[in-house]
Amino acid sequence: MSRKRTRLSSEEEMSGKLLEMGSGEQNGSETSFTSSTNLPPTDSIQSLQTAAPFSTDPIAIAERERCHYGRIPRAAALAGTAPRRVRVYSDGIYDMFHQGHARQLQQAKTVFPNVYLIVGVCSDSLTHSRKGRTVMTEDERYEAVRHCRYVDEVVRDAPWEYDEEFLDKHKIDFVAHDDIPYTTEDCEDTYAMIKAKDMFVATERTEGVSTSDIVARIVRDYDIYVRRNLARGYSAKELNVSFLNEKKFRLQNKMDELKDKGKKVMTNIGEKRVDILTKWEEKSRELIDAFLLLFGPDGRLSSIWNESKGRLMQALSQPPSPRSSPPPSENGDSHSHSPTHSILHFRGSASPPPPKSRRYETLWEAQADVSCSERVGESEASVQRQLTDDGSDSDDDYQDTSPYL
């Protein structure tokens, strides 16, 4: 007992010093009531260090035994002149514990100065029979509530309705809950007796946040959450999904992955677009110069085309006819009218060699020269016969009777 008294006295001294310095937790909730002072620092430190005990734990039993129960009037509780901590009780289902639950407990904790908050959580059997099926089990809901920093004690398997025995057992001074009437089969308002005893403290609900709203969102986006859990490794059996739906959801996941990759690629392209335009501007002049050098009027391609065109025209054109003049005669005549001389001159005329591309035409001309030579020989023999055709047998007896001689 001496150690306990020493610890309590030291805690009271520490709390007194902290209160004098003005430290403590402020009430940040928007409620229908106003707290006059700050919370004791010892409660805040304890709630942050350990989870709240259950009502059957030795710590909670010891705290209850130290309390000299006699209900504190509302005026003394509001003024902060109560001889002990004000024991406030709040209850609920607290399924899928969210910020609306936390704010409601914060309001109950700060309704009076120096509050010891007791929270009752209903069991699964009672909740399923009165309200409906829950997402979390009762043990999960117990643990969620006892780890809230505003809670000092948790009552498991809390009753749906209150009686004097329950209030006396837990030494409850006030009950905190929202002011909406809760009807049952037996009564129109579960908190009617509490309100009649002036033990009811109203708290405000957080608009737009409730367990029913969260469940509705999950049901509405059912496909999305199933696909997410399939991607995280859950089996179709665990999610109660048929074989065809599983394949459909997995295909949708693959399509979404492809879309995300496409978006990332487009984002990267957008980031690099400025760099690409800058580099293109730098390289554009070089590309234009290279294009003009190759395809311009004085470009390399035009030179190659003109050179090839000239060679092609030279190969397709006919060679020029030979036009060499005969040698001068002895009498000084520049031209000879003798057919034999003309024929011999034609045979002796020189012509340039044909180009390489006309090697087949050269062979044809050689054959033509041979036939021409034969015709020239025949012509000479005929001329000779004409010259000697005077009835004589030899050339010695030939007399020229031409009047021009």
Side-chain angles (χ1 to χ4, degrees):
M1 293 296 293
S2 60
R3 292 182 180 179
K4 186 178 294 185
R5 289 176 181 176
T6 304
R7 182 175 59 83
L8 292 174
S9 61
S10 62
E11 289 179 356
E12 291 176 358
E13 292 177 359
M14 183 181 296
S15 61
K17 291 180 180 180
L18 291 175
L19 286 173
E20 290 176 359
M21 295 173 61
S23 63
E25 181 177 307
Q26 300 291 335
N27 179 14
S29 61
E30 299 177 0
T31 62
S32 59
F33 50 85
T34 304
S35 177
S36 59
T37 60
N38 299 325
L39 292 176
T42 54
D43 294 343
S44 178
I45 294 173
Q46 183 179 1
S47 63
L48 293 177
Q49 289 179 348
T50 59
F54 293 114
S55 59
T56 55
D57 291 344
I59 298 177
I61 295 173
E63 176 68 24
R64 193 161 51 248
E65 290 177 351
R66 286 197 301 269
C67 176
H68 300 285
Y69 185 59
R71 290 174 186 170
I72 300 175
R74 184 182 293 268
L78 289 173
T81 58
R84 56 175 176 80
R85 300 174 67 181
V86 181
R87 296 173 68 88
V88 177
Y89 177 82
S90 179
D91 64 347
I93 308 301
Y94 301 107
D95 189 21
M96 301 181 68
F97 193 86
H98 50 75
Q99 70 269 27
H101 297 144
R103 292 189 59 176
Q104 186 263 336
L105 296 177
Q106 181 189 30
Q107 295 175 39
K109 180 70 174 179
T110 57
V111 65
F112 302 120
N114 197 12
V115 169
Y116 183 85
L117 181 59
I118 306 169
V119 180
V121 182
C122 300
S123 63
D124 287 345
S125 59
L126 181 60
T127 303
H128 296 168
S129 62
R130 293 296 186 96
K131 192 171 183 179
R133 186 174 180 82
T134 58
V135 177
M136 301 171 64
T137 63
E138 58 183 21
D139 293 332
E140 292 171 343
R141 293 185 284 114
Y142 296 154
E143 290 296 324
V145 172
R146 72 188 294 250
H147 282 84
C148 178
R149 68 174 189 169
Y150 306 113
V151 180
D152 296 309
E153 182 180 330
V154 175
V155 178
R156 291 177 289 191
D157 193 11
W160 200 265
E161 299 175 358
Y162 307 104
D163 54 15
E164 287 290 343
E165 181 181 358
F166 179 80
L167 298 176
D168 294 338
K169 176 181 178 181
H170 295 281
K171 298 181 179 181
I172 297 172
D173 295 315
F174 295 93
V175 176
H177 204 276
D178 59 83
D179 202 13
I180 300 175
Y182 279 76
T183 61
T184 61
E185 297 178 357
D186 301 332
C187 62
E188 295 182 358
D189 189 1
T190 305
Y191 300 97
M193 182 192 69
I194 303 297
K195 293 177 181 178
K197 292 179 175 291
D198 195 22
M199 296 175 59
F200 186 80
V201 179
T203 59
E204 293 183 356
R205 297 177 63 91
T206 303
E207 295 296 333
V209 179
S210 66
T211 303
S212 300
D213 294 338
I214 295 174
V215 173
R217 276 185 261 168
I218 295 174
V219 173
R220 181 189 60 195
D221 301 329
Y222 168 78
D223 291 355
I224 297 175
Y225 294 115
V226 171
R227 288 167 52 189
R228 183 191 67 173
N229 287 351
L230 286 174
R232 292 184 176 182
Y234 285 86
S235 64
K237 184 178 180 180
E238 292 174 335
L239 298 174
N240 195 22
V241 176
S242 65
F243 176 80
L244 294 178
N245 286 334
E246 178 190 6
K247 298 304 179 184
K248 181 186 72 173
F249 293 143
R250 292 191 184 278
L251 178 60
Q252 291 175 349
N253 287 339
K254 293 295 182 182
M255 295 300 297
D256 290 345
E257 290 178 4
L258 292 177
K259 290 180 182 179
D260 293 339
K261 290 181 180 179
K263 291 180 180 178
K264 291 180 181 179
V265 171
M266 295 303 297
T267 302
N268 295 333
I269 291 175
E271 294 176 353
K272 295 180 180 178
R273 180 175 57 186
V274 178
D275 296 337
I276 293 174
L277 292 177
T278 304
K279 292 180 180 179
W280 171 253
E281 186 177 0
E282 295 174 356
K283 297 293 183 181
S284 60
R285 188 174 297 277
E286 298 179 4
L287 294 174
I288 294 172
D289 294 341
F291 181 83
L292 294 177
L293 181 63
L294 184 61
F295 297 99
D298 299 330
R300 189 176 303 168
L301 189 61
S302 299
S303 301
I304 295 173
W305 166 249
N306 293 331
E307 183 179 354
S308 301
K309 182 179 178 182
R311 291 179 181 178
L312 182 63
M313 294 299 294
Q314 183 179 1
L316 296 177
S317 62
Q318 293 292 337
S321 301
R323 294 181 180 181
S324 59
S325 60
S329 61
E330 293 180 358
N331 55 4
D333 295 337
S334 60
H335 297 283
S336 177
H337 299 280
S338 175
T340 306
H341 181 74
S342 298
I343 293 170
L344 293 175
H345 175 71
F346 174 77
R347 291 184 62 186
S349 63
S351 61
K356 185 177 180 180
S357 62
R358 300 186 59 195
R359 55 182 180 274
Y360 296 105
E361 297 179 3
T362 304
L363 295 176
W364 179 83
E365 290 177 356
Q367 294 177 0
D369 291 341
V370 173
S371 61
C372 183
S373 298
E374 293 177 356
R375 289 195 298 271
V376 169
E378 293 176 356
S379 299
E380 289 179 352
S382 176
V383 171
Q384 187 69 27
R385 282 194 302 270
Q386 291 178 3
L387 291 176
T388 58
D389 192 10
D390 55 354
S392 62
D393 295 336
S394 63
D395 293 339
D396 296 336
D397 298 334
Y398 172 74
Q399 295 181 359
D400 192 1
T401 60
S402 174
Y404 297 102
L405 297 176

